[in-house]
Amino acid sequence: MSPPSPVTDLKATAYTIPTDAPEADGTLSWDATTMVVVQAHCGTVVGTGWTYGSPACAVVVNGTLADHVIGRSALDTAGASDAMVKALRNVGRQGIGGQALSAVDIALWDLKARLLDVPLHRLIGAVRETVAVYGSGGFTCYTKEQLCAQLNDWTDRLQIPRVKIKIGESWGTCPDRDLTRMDQARDAIGPAAELYVDANGAYGRKQAIRMMADAADLDVHWFEEPVSSDDLDGLRAVSEAVAADVTAGEYGYDLVYFRRMCQARAVDCLQADASRCGGITEWLRVAAVAASHGLDISAHCAPNLHLHAGAATPNLRHLEWFHDHVCIELMAFDGTKLPVGGFLRPDPDAPGHGFTLRAPDLEKYREELA
């Protein structure tokens, strides 16, 4: 038997891409998003991963993580993940370090599947052929016309039966406008579609509970980060008081974070983001922690990045068809597709995740790294 082929090169590049319009949620506003793309090589075969974060993520990949991956067997994704976690001890696993690790891990899983000539969800172990999505956007800075047009595009053109808007405008100081926008959203999507809302931690505990009481006639199904995700007692208090499923977890960077959230009974559905928490390697462990507490898991943002892992996760509820990242991923990669009837389908034939970077199209957005 010939020895396993090693990773021969690993490099990250950052691209800062303007949004199609200004975007804002309850606690932040922005007009551009940075995607950090990692490409792992084994000879002529290339695996691709990415995250959304600071260009500094690319510096961590190129300056710290690459040395711990290049030369290692391209099939040893678990070993590479372990080595990178240890290499980040003094850099920090949270934030930029974790995002850098995540992008590399996803690239290595894609590379491994391509070397074995199998679709990524088959390599992991598929449990479903399609993955449910929910439309996500509805930014607080949108006009009524912008809001309704976006929601109608999801429910009418793409037939997505669940949609989410941002509330908690200006750190929860505009509750009347929040309620007005929720009412506009319900009118736009009609009674059949599920309405989700995301406060991005803008409210206090009692305010979040009052908001859901005031919106009781709108049949809100999903209340994301009603309070700070660091306030586990507050999340549990809101969950116990409202009918909507309370959810959080998008800022988790390690397994212990998710264990604490589950043990505290803080959420009705756990969120995780494979582009932050440690890539596919850690996503699978996080999903198992959720399952051990009787919880579903939902993928935060980056829908194409999560597609194959989602298809291999038994307790997955859905992926977030997030407007900002959808625009970027449809532009940046060949092989991406639109959801049909509220579901995305992994390519059953293409090896890896099936996406190919359009590097020339992105060149004008490339960041110069220090």
Side-chain angles (χ1 to χ4, degrees), residues 201-277:
Y203 296 137
R205 301 179 190 183
K206 293 293 184 69
Q207 183 183 15
I209 294 169
R210 289 194 300 270
M211 290 296 295
M212 285 299 99
D214 291 342
D217 61 329
L218 301 179
D219 190 24
V220 175
H221 282 238
W222 173 274
F223 196 5
E224 185 173 329
E225 286 194 316
V227 299
S228 169
S229 56
D230 294 327
D231 183 7
L232 299 184
D233 290 340
L235 287 169
R236 184 176 64 250
V238 176
S239 173
E240 291 173 347
V242 305
D245 279 359
V246 168
T247 182
E250 65 189 68
Y251 298 110
Y253 285 93
D254 57 51
L255 204 62
V256 176
Y257 173 100
F258 296 101
R259 185 192 69 187
R260 285 196 297 262
M261 186 166 279
C262 292
Q263 286 181 334
R265 294 182 290 113
V267 295
D268 301 299
C269 179
L270 185 68
Q271 277 188 305
D273 187 331
S275 78
R276 294 175 177 171
C277 75

Side-chain angles (χ1 to χ4, degrees), residues 26-27 167-176 178 199 201-204 207 211:
T27 58
I167 59 172
E169 183 176 352
S170 301
W171 287 91
T173 60
C174 305
D176 289 343
D178 289 341
Y203 296 137
Q207 183 183 15
M211 290 296 295

